[in-house]
């Protein structure tokens, strides 16, 4: 298998080339161009304790999963990649591998609701402490650091408010106090943003979203440079067992191959949608980092290739009006998740972010979130116009 290039290797081929080839050499036995689905739990050994190609049991490792892990590491420019059964499994495994009871974690004040729930309901009883802070306010981040702070957990752009955090500045703050910076890169995808090159220590993905890209598989990933952390992750992954099966790994890998072309189309379509929303009398506010008025616009322009396919907006008339728009679209399917080829619409307050209601992370009740798909932009605009009018 083609090894993942080292971090930020100038010899490394372009992104789209890596997406199609890294970790995906033709099968040495048959020449199969697509990585085979090694649907097996165990592997024959020629001698006691001597696995043939390093594989002994699929919880610890499986060749289809290895191909995905090498591809993801190559796309993020990291030394080691780990695939998981879901984004939340990746988050949980990282926390257990890198943190201990008594440690402190800084979470963004608009973190993905599931991340907040994992930390607040599962890791706090385990002994973790945490603070939420607006990552856009670097002075507030510095003030939130404690002697026990081990990790700053960053999402950028954030879900669902599309807030932007300065990855390089946060890495500097984290490292100055001996902490690490994790970036949940789900919203951007490795095509639009590569946090390790900006100083982050860990990249997390819900590969369920743009990386898989077809709304047909749940998965997660961690990509790191540090060999010691990689060893801890391999040990925890094997011990906790939250790994994807070979079919899920294969489906995700198939999605990876088209990530570059899909992301450009997501961005093209989102830009058209934003143009419509900004000028629409029934729209009160549009959240999109590509807008010059967005408070994180300059940082996004610096650290992202383009502004992404996620758009949030609030409507005039509050929650009732927002719910009506969500019910009226035809092409934008009412549903959770994001990053698939098909466009989705949702009400974060009552859907994806219901778990943060009543907490510091509560989202506005007139907010609508769009995952803009790769359909014909004109059809998407017509659908939104009909739903708004
Ligand atoms: N991180 C972000 C930003 C997400 O949006 C999600 C899911 O929506 C997750 C993590 C969790 O991923 P999964 O649903 O694959 O467990």
């Amino acid at each position: 298998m083609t090894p993942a290039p080292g971090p930020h290797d100038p010899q490394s081929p372009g992104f789209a080339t890596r997406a199609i080839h890294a970790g995906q050499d033709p099968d040495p036995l048959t020449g199969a161009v697509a990585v085979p689905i090694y649907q097996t739990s165990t592997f024959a050994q020629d001698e006691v304790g001597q696995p043939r190609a390093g594989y002994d049991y699929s919880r610890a490792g499986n060749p289809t999963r290895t191909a995905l892990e090498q591809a993801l590491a190559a796309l993020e420019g990291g030394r080691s990649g780990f695939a998981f059964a879901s984004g939340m499994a990746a988050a949980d495994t990282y926390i257990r591998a890198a943190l201990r009871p008594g440690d402190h974690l800084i979470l963004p004040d608009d973190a993905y609701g599931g991340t907040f729930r994992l930390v607040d309901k599962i890791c706090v009883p385990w002994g973790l402490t945490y603070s939420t802070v607006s990552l856009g306010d670097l002075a507030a981040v510095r003030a939130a650091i404690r002697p026990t702070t081990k990790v700053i957990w960053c999402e950028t752009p954030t879900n669902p408010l599309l807030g932007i955090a300065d990855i390089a500045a946060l890495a500097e703050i984290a490292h100055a106090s001996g902490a690490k910076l994790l970036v949940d890169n789900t919203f951007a995808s490795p095509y639009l943003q590569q946090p390790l090159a900006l100083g982050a220590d860990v990249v997390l993905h819900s590969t369920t979203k743009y990386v898989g890209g077809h709304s047909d598989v749940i998965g997660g990933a961690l990509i790191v440079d540090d060999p010691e952390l990689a060893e801890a992750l391999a040990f925890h992954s094997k011990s906790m067992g939250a790994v994807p099966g070979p079919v899920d790994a294969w489906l995700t890998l198939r999605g990876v191959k088209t990530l570059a072309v899909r992301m450009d189309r997501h961005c093209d379509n989102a830009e058209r949608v934003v143009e419509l929303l900004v000028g629409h009398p029934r729209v009160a506010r549009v959240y999109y980092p590509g807008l010059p008025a967005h408070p994180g616009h300059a940082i996004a322009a610096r650290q992202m290739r383009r502004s992404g396919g996620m758009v949030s907006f609030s409507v005039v008339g509050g929650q009732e009006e927002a719910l009506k728009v969500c019910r009226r679209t035809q092409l934008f399917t009412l549903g959770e998740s994001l990053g698939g080829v098909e466009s989705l619409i949702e009400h974060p307050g009552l859907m994806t972010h219901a778990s943060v209601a009543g907490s510091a992370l509560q989202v506005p009740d007139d907010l609508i979130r769009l995952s803009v798909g790769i359909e014909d932009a004109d059809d998407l605009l017509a659908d939104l116009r009909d739903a708004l009018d």
Side-chain angles (χ1 to χ4, degrees):
M1 298 250 173
T2 307
H8 337 308
D9 184 348
Q11 301 302 320
S12 170
F15 186 93
T17 307
R18 275 178 281 154
I20 292 165
H21 294 287
Q24 303 165 73
D25 284 349
D27 180 49
L29 189 63
T30 64
V33 166
V35 171
I37 302 173
Y38 286 90
Q39 189 68 36
T40 185
S41 59
T42 190
F43 300 82
Q45 304 193 13
D46 298 323
E47 184 48 77
V48 176
Q50 285 181 16
R52 254 177 232 175
Y55 296 101
D56 54 14
Y57 186 60
S58 280
R59 171 156 44 75
N62 175 286
T64 315
R65 193 169 101 218
T66 302
L68 172 63
E69 292 175 335
Q70 291 190 347
L72 291 173
L75 293 189
E76 286 288 2
R79 282 197 183 90
S80 308
F82 298 88
F84 294 91
S86 68
M88 293 320 302
D92 191 24
T93 306
Y94 172 70
I95 289 172
R96 310 295 168 164
L99 295 153
R100 291 289 166 268
D103 286 346
H104 175 252
L105 173 75
I106 293 179
L107 274 184
D109 66 359
D110 53 355
Y112 166 61
T115 302
F116 176 72
R117 184 175 53 203
L118 171 71
V119 170
D120 189 58
K121 300 286 188 286
I122 301 201
C123 298
V124 166
W126 178 63
L128 209 65
T129 59
Y130 76 95
S131 320
T132 58
V133 65
S134 163
L135 296 189
D137 181 348
L138 296 178
V141 177
R142 272 190 208 98
I145 298 249
R146 301 178 189 173
T148 51
T149 303
K150 291 286 162 29
V151 174
I152 299 177
W153 193 287
C154 167
E155 272 180 45
T156 183
T158 60
N159 179 7
L161 292 170
L162 284 313
I164 296 293
D166 185 333
I167 295 173
L170 287 172
E172 220 177 288
I173 293 174
H175 297 160
S177 61
K180 303 288 184 199
L181 177 67
L182 176 146
V183 176
D184 182 335
N185 205 23
T186 298
F187 263 44
S189 89
Y191 179 66
L192 297 182
Q193 176 172 276
Q194 290 164 11
L196 296 179
L198 297 164
D201 303 283
V202 184
V203 174
L204 182 146
H205 280 283
S206 167
T207 56
T208 312
K209 313 299 182 330
Y210 287 108
V211 171
H214 295 75
S215 306
D216 53 10
V217 62
I218 299 280
L222 293 170
I223 298 98
V224 302
D225 270 343
D226 176 14
E228 222 172 284
L229 177 57
E231 202 176 309
L233 288 173
F235 176 77
H236 280 74
S237 170
K238 179 172 76 172
S239 305
M240 294 168 71
V243 295
V247 174
D248 284 4
W250 185 88
L251 273 173
T252 306
L253 189 60
R254 187 166 67 164
V256 163
K257 290 173 196 281
T258 55
L259 184 60
V261 283
R262 282 189 289 106
M263 288 315 297
D264 272 326
R265 176 66 172 245
H266 281 295
C267 292
D268 290 346
N269 284 359
E271 286 165 15
R272 295 278 310 275
V273 163
V274 166
E275 219 176 274
L276 167 81
L277 295 175
V278 163
H280 200 286
R282 301 207 41 196
V283 172
R285 181 168 172 189
V286 181
Y287 301 79
Y288 188 65
L291 286 170
H294 186 290
H297 177 70
I299 298 165
R302 210 165 56 226
Q303 68 188 19
M304 295 177 75
R305 190 193 293 252
R306 296 183 68 183
S307 301
M310 298 301 296
V311 180
S312 292
F313 65 102
S314 52
V315 291
V316 177
Q319 172 164 307
E320 260 325 295
E321 288 306 312
L323 295 180
K324 278 187 204 160
V325 175
C326 290
R327 288 185 194 114
R328 279 197 207 122
T329 53
Q330 304 285 320
L331 263 182
F332 280 85
T333 303
L334 180 61
E336 302 195 359
S337 201
L338 61 112
V341 291
E342 61 288 295
S343 293
L344 298 173
I345 187 167
E346 69 124 356
H347 183 271
L350 294 182
M351 294 171 67
T352 47
H353 288 65
S355 62
V356 296
S359 78
L361 284 74
Q362 181 158 344
V363 296
D365 64 5
D366 58 355
L367 191 75
I368 295 172
R369 189 188 78 179
L370 302 177
S371 172
V372 181
I374 64 169
E375 300 95 334
D376 285 304
D378 288 342
D379 295 330
L380 296 178
L381 298 190
D383 191 34
L384 282 176
R385 253 187 232 108
D386 286 351
L388 282 164
D389 288 344

